[in-house]
Amino acid sequence: MAGGGGRPRSPPGPLLGLLAAAAAAWAARPGVRAVPEEEQHSVDFIERNYVYGNIQHEVNVYVKVFTNSPFLVCMDLARSREELIDPQYLWTGPDGKDLEGRAYVNLTETGKLVVMGFKESMSGAYTCTLSYKILETTTQEEREKFEPYKFMVYAYREADHAYQVFVRFTTKECELAANGRFFEELKKILNNIISDLTCHIVESSYKCRHVGIPKQGLLHELFVRFQVNPFAPGWEEVCHQVPYDCEDVTNRRVEEARGRIGEFFNKQTYALKHEFRTVPAIHYVENSFSLTHIDSCRPGFGKNHIAHRSCAGCCVVCDPGTYSPNDDVTCQVCARPRVKKYGARSC
C-alpha cells in the first residue's frame, strides 16, 4: 500500500486490508486518464465576439482577465444593417477620456472597440457616441444625428473549484483504537493518489455514530469528511508555466483528483465483494460516497447572482465601494466607501 511519501509499505493491521486492496486495484487501472477539456467561457456572447450597443440601456460585458474583450460595436444591431452617411465614432473610457491612440485598445474605422489584455483596473463604463448625417430628399438639407451607447465592462475570473467529500465506513465499535489509525491511513492513501496533481486532502475529520438499520439492528459507522483542494505545496511552480492566469490549470487538476478519488471508493466495493472471504472489521459502506462542489474567488473578486445574472457562475471584479480581502465569494461593502477603484482588496 502506498503511504504519504509514495513508498510501498505494509498496512498497520488486518483492519486496513480492504484499503490496501482497493489502492492496489486503483494503481493497476488500465490506460492513461484523459485530462478534461478546458471549460468554455461562462458568457456566451463573448464567444460570438461581437457585442452591440443598445440605445435604451447600458449593456453589461464580462471579459476574462488577461484576455482581449469582444468587439464592442458602437450601434445597435438594427442600425448596423442600415446605410449611414458620414458616420463618426467617439469612444471614451472609464476615466471619461478619449480612447483614440491608447496603446491597449484597438479602434476600427467602423466604430468597433477591442480592449486588449484586460485587467480588473480596466473595468468600468465604456461609452461611444455615434454621429451621422441625415439628408432631406426634397431640400437636400442635412442634419446631424447623435446616438450614445454605454457598455459596462467587467473583468472576471473563473471560480477556483474544490470538493467536499463525505463517506462512511462500518466498524465493530466506536471505541475501537484502530478507528483512528484507519482514518490516518485513509488520508495518506488519498493524498498519495492525487499528489502528482498538486492537490491534497484538507479539513478532514471523522466521527463514530450509532446507526439503526431496519432488520440489521444497531450498527457503528465512521462518518468521514474531507475536502479535495487544488493548492497543495508546489502548485505555484506549476502555474509559473502558464502565461497568464492559473484557474483553468488548477480546476482541471482538481477535477482529475475528484475522479480518481471517486474511482478509489468504487474499487472499495469491488474489493469487498470479490477479494475477501471474511469481511474486515472496518469496511466501506456501499454507495455512501458523495461530494459537494465548493467555489471560491480570488481577492478583489466575488459572485453576485443579481447584479451579474449573465455571469452568475463567474467571480466578477468588486465594484467601487466594495472589497474582498480573501477567497470568499462575496464582495463586502466598505463601511466608509472611500474605495473608488474596481477590484479592491481592502477599504
Side-chain angles (χ1 to χ4, degrees):
M1 180 171 58
R7 293 175 297 183
R9 62 189 183 91
S10 300
L15 295 176
L16 298 174
L18 182 57
L19 281 183
W26 181 89
R29 70 201 189 287
V32 178
R33 181 183 295 272
V35 177
E37 294 183 3
E38 183 174 352
E39 293 184 1
Q40 299 297 312
H41 287 299
S42 301
V43 188
D44 56 0
F45 55 67
I46 288 182
E47 293 178 342
R48 296 201 296 269
N49 215 33
Y50 282 86
V51 180
Y52 289 86
N54 191 314
I55 200 169
Q56 303 297 327
H57 58 78
E58 62 188 33
V59 176
N60 286 356
V61 183
Y62 301 91
V63 183
K64 193 172 183 179
V65 290
F66 307 122
T67 68
N68 296 342
S69 76
F71 285 95
L72 308 183
V73 185
C74 186
M75 60 184 72
D76 57 32
L77 184 59
R79 185 71 69 214
S80 70
R81 295 169 178 169
E82 298 176 354
E83 181 181 76
L84 296 178
I85 300 175
D86 295 337
Q88 299 290 327
Y89 313 94
L90 175 63
W91 279 98
T92 58
D95 59 1
K97 297 180 180 179
D98 190 349
L99 289 174
E100 185 72 39
R102 302 283 183 96
Y104 59 89
V105 302
N106 179 20
L107 286 169
T108 72
E109 293 181 351
T110 54
K112 299 179 182 67
L113 168 71
V114 176
V115 186
M116 298 178 290
F118 206 84
K119 302 180 180 66
E120 51 261 51
S121 59
M122 296 178 177
S123 301
Y126 288 76
T127 59
C128 178
T129 301
L130 165 65
S131 63
Y132 57 94
K133 303 290 178 56
I134 297 178
L135 297 180
E136 298 292 343
T137 55
T138 55
T139 63
Q140 290 299 300
E141 292 183 358
E142 65 178 52
R143 59 188 178 89
E144 194 167 18
K145 186 171 183 179
F146 298 88
E147 293 180 353
Y149 297 94
K150 183 177 181 180
F151 300 83
M152 290 300 301
V153 187
Y154 300 95
Y156 82 92
R157 293 176 180 268
E158 296 291 348
D160 289 311
H161 300 328
Y163 292 92
Q164 184 75 45
V165 177
F166 176 77
V167 66
R168 292 158 61 178
F169 289 85
T170 294
T171 184
K172 280 190 173 181
E173 300 175 7
C174 281
E175 293 74 21
L176 200 65
N179 290 342
R181 297 197 301 271
F182 175 88
F183 175 67
E184 293 302 320
E185 193 67 20
L186 175 63
K187 287 193 298 180
K188 290 179 182 179
I189 291 174
L190 295 177
N191 271 317
N192 186 66
I193 288 173
I194 62 177
S195 62
D196 63 305
L197 301 172
T198 62
C199 295
H200 62 161
I201 303 302
V202 298
E203 299 183 13
S204 56
S205 64
Y206 80 95
K207 188 169 185 177
C208 191
R209 297 182 181 276
H210 308 291
V211 182
I213 306 294
K215 299 181 180 180
Q216 296 186 41
L218 192 65
L219 299 180
H220 310 289
E221 293 188 3
L222 305 178
F223 283 53
V224 178
R225 64 188 305 162
F226 57 87
Q227 188 180 121
V228 184
N229 185 282
F231 302 113
W235 75 273
E236 296 93 340
E237 287 75 10
V238 174
C239 285
H240 288 161
Q241 304 170 20
V242 182
Y244 299 120
D245 215 21
C246 196
E247 286 96 339
D248 293 336
V249 173
T250 54
N251 285 342
R252 284 199 302 269
R253 288 172 177 266
V254 78
E255 290 287 340
E256 169 78 2
R258 179 197 66 172
R260 290 185 186 183
I261 288 175
E263 183 180 351
F264 170 77
F265 284 109
N266 285 335
K267 296 293 186 182
Q268 291 276 323
T269 299
Y270 179 87
L272 182 63
K273 291 181 178 180
H274 300 282
E275 299 181 14
F276 285 86
R277 294 182 180 179
T278 303
V279 176
I282 301 177
H283 63 269
Y284 171 66
V285 176
E286 187 174 358
N287 297 324
S288 68
F289 174 79
S290 65
L291 55 82
T292 302
H293 187 181
I294 302 172
D295 278 352
S296 60
C297 295
R298 301 289 174 94
F301 292 79
K303 289 187 174 185
N304 190 320
H305 299 275
I306 298 175
H308 301 296
R309 286 179 294 178
S310 297
C311 204
C314 311
C315 292
V316 181
V317 65
C318 294
D319 286 324
T322 67
Y323 72 106
S324 176
N326 49 35
D327 60 355
D328 198 0
V329 294
T330 304
C331 292
Q332 306 173 36
V333 178
C334 293
R336 298 180 179 179
R338 300 174 182 175
V339 178
K340 297 182 180 180
K341 67 176 182 178
Y342 284 89
R345 303 181 181 188
S346 62
C347 280

